[in-house]
Amino acid sequence: MKNYSNHYLRILDEINPTSGYIPSKVEYVAWYKKHYKTIAKQTYSDFCMQELIWAFQEFKNLVSFLEHEQTIIEANNKYKLLDQENDEEVIEWLIDYENVYQYAEHFYCSHFEWEEGKIEGNKIIVSKELEIKIELSDFKEFIVFEKTFRPLLTKYKNELQK
């Protein structure tokens, strides 16, 4: 754990991973929800507060993605029940989950594709600076969704462009 001198930055100590423990996605969300009002209500902006506001933005991005997890699970379950040979059903499914896919795609691109070193063993590094890591297994449903949605979207876009 880091030892922050500013009492506002000390709240980061509550969620910092240690060498033997990495908080779960549920813990990150609960921590963010517990403290976001404290940060949002601060009226001054010294260096420490700027750092804390930046840290909370990193957490906000993670939490906004994780808040869509139930919808992603729902999408995966509905896809399994589709007649996958029925173009109309598949297109309807794509339309139903297009909005949540935007969150998933952004997260996927920034944490799996474009930046080197975002995967460390069986962990996703959400922020190196803040040492935010999450177990890769916590993203199983998301990975299934990404591997299903993107190829189908590409397929139908290509067919419509012909």
Side-chain angles (χ1 to χ4, degrees):
M1 280 191 175
K2 295 179 181 177
N3 187 11
Y4 295 105
S5 58
N6 182 293
H7 67 281
Y8 289 111
L9 290 179
R10 286 187 199 137
I11 63 176
L12 289 174
D13 274 340
E14 292 178 24
I15 200 68
N16 268 346
T18 63
S19 60
Y21 178 75
I22 294 176
S24 70
K25 61 187 175 185
V26 172
E27 290 171 299
Y28 281 123
V29 171
W31 176 86
Y32 176 79
K33 288 182 176 184
K34 175 182 174 185
H35 292 292
Y36 81 95
K37 286 183 183 177
T38 302
I39 303 310
K41 291 182 180 183
Q42 295 309 308
T43 57
Y44 65 91
S45 188
D46 65 5
F47 177 74
C48 289
M49 279 306 296
Q50 288 176 1
E51 186 175 337
L52 185 58
I53 289 168
W54 170 81
F56 261 75
Q57 187 60 40
E58 290 285 303
F59 280 104
K60 181 180 178 182
N61 293 338
L62 173 64
V63 169
S64 70
F65 169 74
L66 292 174
E67 287 178 335
H68 291 88
E69 184 175 38
Q70 281 309 117
T71 307
I72 289 171
I73 292 168
E74 174 188 299
N76 289 341
N77 290 337
K78 282 188 177 180
Y79 182 76
K80 291 175 191 173
L81 301 174
L82 287 181
D83 174 0
Q84 295 169 13
E85 301 300 318
N86 182 330
D87 289 342
E88 189 175 305
E89 279 188 37
V90 174
I91 290 172
E92 187 175 317
W93 179 82
L94 287 168
I95 291 169
D96 287 346
Y97 295 102
E98 181 179 19
N99 288 338
V100 77
Y101 177 70
Q102 291 173 3
Y103 285 96
E105 181 181 40
H106 173 74
F107 194 83
Y108 184 85
C109 289
S110 63
H111 292 89
F112 289 90
E113 287 188 343
W114 294 341
E115 291 187 35
E116 290 291 320
K118 283 290 196 168
I119 303 291
E120 181 180 277
N122 62 347
K123 297 173 184 46
I124 298 171
I125 300 172
V126 177
S127 172
K128 283 186 180 184
E129 294 84 359
L130 297 174
E131 300 175 2
I132 304 170
K133 298 176 185 177
I134 297 182
E135 298 288 336
L136 191 57
S137 61
D138 281 347
F139 289 90
K140 178 182 172 240
E141 292 290 336
F142 159 72
I143 293 167
V144 168
F145 180 70
E146 173 64 27
K147 287 185 175 185
T148 304
F149 198 97
R150 186 189 297 202
L152 288 171
L153 183 64
T154 302
K155 172 188 168 190
Y156 287 105
K157 277 184 177 180
N158 289 339
E159 286 180 10
L160 291 173
Q161 291 176 351
K162 288 181 184 178

